[in-house]
Amino acid sequence: MESVLRGGAIYLVLLILFRFLGKRSLSQITTFDFVLLLIISEATQQAMLGEDNSFTNGVVIIVTLMFLDLVLSLIKQKFRSVDKIIEGVPTILVENGQMIQESMEKSRVDAEDILESARELQGLERMDQIKYAVLERSGKISIIPAESSV
Amino acid sequence: MASTEQQSGLELMKDMEFQRKDWAVQRVGWVIMGAIVLAALLGLLGGIGPLSAASIQTEDGSLQLDYSRFLHMLEPNHLALIIQPTPGQGELRIRLNEDYIRHFSVESVSPEPESVEVSGRNLVYVFQVSQSEGQIEIVYYLNPIEATVLHGTIGLEDGAVLEFDQLVFP
């Protein structure tokens, strides 16, 4: 019984903590974020398995985590408000070439990050070629180029 | 019926019938997953849980054993034997079948026995009793090392004995 409770509790704790950390950390584009995620996974393994390294325990914990994920996804589908709480909402960072300072500051994204995404995704060169830049819920920045640059 | 169609403007291997069966199988999978989580919560897959925790007694109540019906390998668990000692008893001799204990790594026995004797197919744990007042509880801390069905016999060397079964998952 404790395997299910332990696995479930860790899943929920991580979910809540990553929500606090914000969207950028999830997209792990910097070494900084990558190292963080790597080390966290090591720490959670110990907490979840404890001293029990049996096959049965492994399967029970894996199934519990996947089942929780499944249940949450079904709840999110039914209730939009839960979806927002768990996943957050997308944020517009640039509109018609103009950066929205408050959103960028609060999301801890700078102009360089946006330009990097613009180069990678759309091959754009300058900020004024961007119609919209959106910080998606996944942490990725999506770019909609301004009409004239097509 | 699979087909590579171009009528919808998209060239891909469309097969709605297969997709529907796929979705149906997925839902069956969800039920199985839910059943596994439920079974684990109830203790059926080992450890603590309402369906796993068991307690048996002799008819006169002089001997009681608390144990878990279901275990899985490498999961620390314990046997708790509760004895009503006879007054004036200087020594407590507990008999446990060797066949049972062989399937475990014995972490410790609390309290520690004075000695352990081999008696035929059984092990006899000898405990010193300086004052026999109230109940005595002997706890074996065990770690299963084999996935198997176990039958245990535990009790006083020349007295009441309790028999129990356990299932150890891999």
Side-chain angles (χ1 to χ4, degrees), chain A residues 1-5 51-57 59-60 63-64 66-68 70 74, chain B residues 30 33-34 36-37 40-41 43 45-50 72-76 169-170:
Chain A
M1 178 205 266
E2 43 194 78
S3 314
V4 173
L5 296 178
E51 301 159 324
D52 190 338
N53 298 316
S54 66
F55 170 76
T56 305
N57 196 41
V59 168
V60 165
V63 172
T64 301
M66 287 187 171
F67 189 69
L68 257 181
L70 179 67
L74 289 172
Chain B
W30 295 354
M33 282 165 65
I36 292 179
V37 173
L41 270 177
L45 293 175
I48 48 180
H72 51 261
M73 277 183 61
L74 308 175
E75 174 200 4
F169 287 96

Side-chain angles (χ1 to χ4, degrees), chain A residues 105-142:
Chain A
E105 242 170 75
K106 291 269 169 66
S107 310
R108 288 170 279 132
V109 173
D110 58 25
E112 231 358 271
D113 295 330
I114 298 177
L115 287 173
E116 181 183 331
S117 206
R119 285 192 297 271
E120 278 176 6
L121 298 177
Q122 299 286 352
L124 300 178
E125 296 161 22
R126 298 181 310 278
M127 190 66 78
D128 57 31
Q129 290 172 319
I130 299 175
K131 186 171 179 194
Y132 287 110
V134 179
L135 178 62
E136 303 290 356
R137 298 177 300 173
S138 64
K140 303 244 188 305
I141 301 175
S142 54

Side-chain angles (χ1 to χ4, degrees), chain B residues 80-164:
Chain B
L81 189 65
I82 300 159
I83 306 137
Q84 301 285 359
T86 42
Q89 188 176 14
E91 209 176 57
L92 190 61
R93 299 174 70 88
I94 302 293
R95 172 159 70 97
L96 180 58
N97 62 329
E98 195 249 339
D99 198 41
Y100 173 84
I101 204 75
R102 212 168 20 93
H103 290 93
F104 291 89
S105 159
V106 181
E107 307 285 298
S108 63
V109 184
S110 168
E112 286 228 5
E114 180 77 30
S115 63
V116 184
E117 296 169 15
V118 180
S119 168
R121 305 300 308 279
N122 296 311
L123 292 179
V124 176
Y125 293 80
V126 183
F127 300 90
Q128 292 298 323
V129 182
S130 53
Q131 234 190 8
S132 56
E133 226 180 76
Q135 292 178 335
I136 299 181
E137 186 170 344
I138 311 272
V139 185
Y140 288 83
Y141 292 96
L142 305 169
N143 205 319
I145 52 176
E146 210 179 311
T148 177
V149 180
L150 290 172
H151 183 79
T153 311
I154 191 170
L156 303 173
E157 191 186 23
D158 44 11
V161 146
L162 290 167
E163 301 208 1
F164 61 101

